[in-house]
Amino acid sequence: MSVTETSTQRGVVNGVDLDQLTATIDAVRGDRNLGEVTFAVEGQWEDGFKLRSSTGALTQAGHKDTSRAGKFEMRSDEPATLLGTDTAVSPAEYVLQALAGCYTVTLTANAAARNIELKSYKLQLEADFDLASFLGVAPEENPGASQIRVTVELDAPGATREELEDLVETVQQRSPIRDTLIRPVDVVTALA
């Protein structure tokens, strides 16, 4: 069962309002433009490897919502062992956070749609990098992560192991951030 096949039982499951979930699915089914969303972040260099960023406007179906602009702030730096000052989360950790956050949204929505009540949910993520390309030692090699590993721990007393395995497989298939990480995505960078 997918998130589009919501259960007939209404209410709130795992903090997800099934009526709102169904209404959102129906709205996007009726107007695919509603599913088109653009997120934005604005960053300002501080010093060394430190960056201060904030959320930008959220655009959905061509309509810009400026209420999120500047609403949330993020900071990044590198660990001291990687020449940073260890004052904030590293960009690599933000990638893992983005994947963990998206897995949470995807898993929780699909669990609710299947009427699987979660007692607890925990993720462990790791990403392997070889900095040789970044440092110019091996510029012919890819500078990105060579592997990301995710371990999902689910406590859902009413669900079978097979139901939970199917849920995790659905998360892998439906997570927008995982999909962004596993396929080539056009990243356009321009000097202003």
Side-chain angles (χ1 to χ4, degrees):
M1 180 186 294
S2 71
V3 73
T4 59
E5 301 168 25
T6 58
S7 73
T8 56
Q9 180 182 353
R10 297 294 175 218
V12 175
V13 177
N14 305 323
V16 177
D17 183 312
L18 292 178
D19 289 331
Q20 287 181 344
L21 178 61
T22 301
T24 300
I25 292 166
D26 290 343
V28 172
R29 186 178 286 128
D31 181 359
R32 290 287 305 273
N33 289 328
L34 292 174
E36 296 175 7
V37 179
T38 301
F39 292 90
V41 170
E42 296 180 10
Q44 177 69 42
W45 176 64
E46 292 183 327
D47 184 42
F49 297 150
K50 294 182 275 189
L51 180 77
R52 179 180 39 84
S53 300
S54 61
T55 51
L58 177 73
T59 304
Q60 182 177 15
H63 300 288
K64 193 171 274 196
D65 175 7
T66 59
S67 69
R68 287 183 57 85
K71 186 173 183 178
F72 299 104
E73 190 172 279
M74 300 165 279
R75 293 184 179 274
S76 65
D77 192 3
E78 290 291 346
T81 58
L82 298 178
L83 306 176
T85 55
D86 204 21
T87 60
V89 176
S90 76
E93 291 161 332
Y94 269 119
V95 169
L96 295 177
Q97 167 58 25
L99 182 60
C102 191
Y103 265 31
T104 299
V105 171
T106 308
L107 187 137
T108 304
N110 279 280
R114 298 167 189 217
N115 208 27
I116 295 174
E117 293 190 36
L118 301 174
K119 183 176 178 185
S120 67
Y121 164 57
K122 187 176 181 182
L123 291 168
Q124 295 176 334
L125 297 92
E126 296 178 315
D128 299 327
F129 289 88
D130 180 346
L131 299 179
S133 178
F134 165 76
L135 294 171
V137 174
E140 72 283 358
E141 295 178 12
N142 293 326
S146 58
Q147 186 178 61
I148 296 175
R149 292 173 299 284
V150 182
T151 302
V152 181
E153 292 181 40
L154 293 172
D155 184 1
T160 66
R161 172 94 184 164
E162 293 77 26
E163 289 172 319
L164 297 179
E165 287 173 352
D166 184 57
L167 179 61
V168 170
E169 181 61 31
T170 299
V171 168
Q172 288 194 96
Q173 294 169 4
R174 305 257 174 138
S175 164
I177 299 300
R178 181 180 184 273
D179 182 67
T180 301
L181 292 171
I182 65 169
R183 68 178 172 83
V185 175
D186 193 21
V187 177
V188 180
T189 306
L191 181 62

